[in-house]
Amino acid sequence: MTILNPTLACADPLHLAREIDDVVAGGARMLHVDVMDGHYVPNLCLSFDQAAAIKRYRPDIPMDIHLMADRPFDWLGELERVHPEMASFHLDATPFALRMVKKIQALGIQAGVVLNPSQPVSLLDEVIDQVDYVLLMGVEPGFSGQRFFEQTYRRLAELDRLRKQRQLSFRILVDGGIDFENGPRCAALGADILVGGAFVCFGQPDGIEASARRFVQRLESTEPTAERKAQ
């Protein structure tokens, strides 16, 4: 079943602990932490110190760190310190992607690579059989609240098809613009994990716990598309 992985970039920093508890109570099974360097994307978000504090507060919930940084190798020491269950970096942030994957895995962390909306799935050819997961951006990285790009469906279906053809076991995450309509459709096309925020759990009128539960229930009732069943 596709699971909800809420991005804490959309949570209220003044009530972060409470909102983490609320979204977990609503059925979230992971926590997504965006760490930005202000260079790869023109923004700053959560820090590794905050990630470490979140990890201490809820060590029972797997953490997924999404590293938006120009020099991902520079942050390996911080990844080792925080030790999330999963960590991903952008494929175009380093010419040594495979080496970065191996470095993350050597720390005992599942390694993922991130593809931006303008990057074709074919760019993954040299690393696809080594990664633990692929994160597909449904928006341009850097800012929450953007609307989902429709071409993400095609890219997701292509990636799921590639996974089946090569008999690989990497998971597929979709991040950016996820809402109550496109989220279930992504699940039906093969997404294993959906990174949701402003349109799923942190910006809904019925509150964080109730809206997260509604979204999880939608995912639980989602059936694979005919296209996916035929593969």
Side-chain angles (χ1 to χ4, degrees), residues 81-203:
R81 175 172 71 95
V82 176
H83 211 275
E85 281 70 20
M86 301 165 60
S88 61
F89 63 96
H90 283 257
L91 191 63
D92 59 357
T94 174
F96 307 109
L98 186 55
R99 187 185 305 172
M100 184 67 184
V101 166
K102 294 300 185 184
K103 290 284 189 181
I104 294 172
Q105 291 170 336
L107 297 175
I109 300 169
Q110 293 181 43
V113 292
V114 186
L115 276 186
N116 292 329
S118 59
Q119 295 175 300
V121 170
S122 60
L123 289 178
L124 295 169
D125 282 350
E126 298 304 317
V127 298
I128 196 69
D129 61 342
Q130 300 295 319
V131 299
D132 297 296
Y133 65 102
V134 175
L135 190 157
L136 283 181
M137 294 299 301
V139 300
E140 293 295 345
F143 294 91
S144 299
Q146 300 180 65
R147 291 296 173 181
F148 185 82
F149 289 150
E150 294 286 318
Q151 63 265 38
T152 307
Y153 297 129
R154 172 182 51 78
R155 299 169 70 241
L156 170 56
E158 180 183 355
L159 186 57
D160 183 57
R161 189 161 54 247
L162 177 65
R163 175 170 59 177
K164 289 181 170 65
Q165 289 171 349
R166 299 195 184 183
Q167 299 183 322
L168 298 172
S169 59
F170 63 85
R171 290 186 287 178
I172 301 175
L173 282 68
V174 181
D175 179 5
I178 295 296
D179 60 26
F180 281 82
E181 298 303 319
N182 60 46
R185 185 172 173 186
C186 286
L189 287 169
D192 302 292
I193 299 171
L194 296 176
V195 179
F199 305 128
V200 168
C201 47
F202 292 113

Side-chain angles (χ1 to χ4, degrees), residues 31 33 35 48 51 63-67 79 82 84 86-88 133:
L31 297 173
V33 175
V35 176
F48 276 102
M63 176 181 287
D64 156 37
I65 288 184
H66 177 182
L67 185 58
L79 287 174
V82 176
M86 301 165 60
S88 61
Y133 65 102

Side-chain angles (χ1 to χ4, degrees), residues 22-87:
D22 286 346
V23 78
V24 171
R29 291 168 55 190
M30 298 180 65
L31 297 173
H32 185 83
V33 175
D34 291 304
V35 176
M36 307 177 188
D37 67 354
H39 298 284
Y40 183 82
V41 291
N43 195 11
L44 296 170
C45 195
L46 297 169
S47 68
F48 276 102
D49 284 343
Q50 289 169 305
I54 294 165
K55 193 66 178 166
R56 289 193 298 270
Y57 178 66
R58 290 303 303 255
D60 56 317
I61 305 298
M63 176 181 287
D64 156 37
I65 288 184
H66 177 182
L67 185 58
M68 303 185 199
D70 271 340
R71 298 163 60 95
F73 283 90
D74 291 353
W75 301 100
L76 285 168
E78 291 291 80
L79 287 174
E80 183 176 19
R81 175 172 71 95
V82 176
H83 211 275
E85 281 70 20
M86 301 165 60

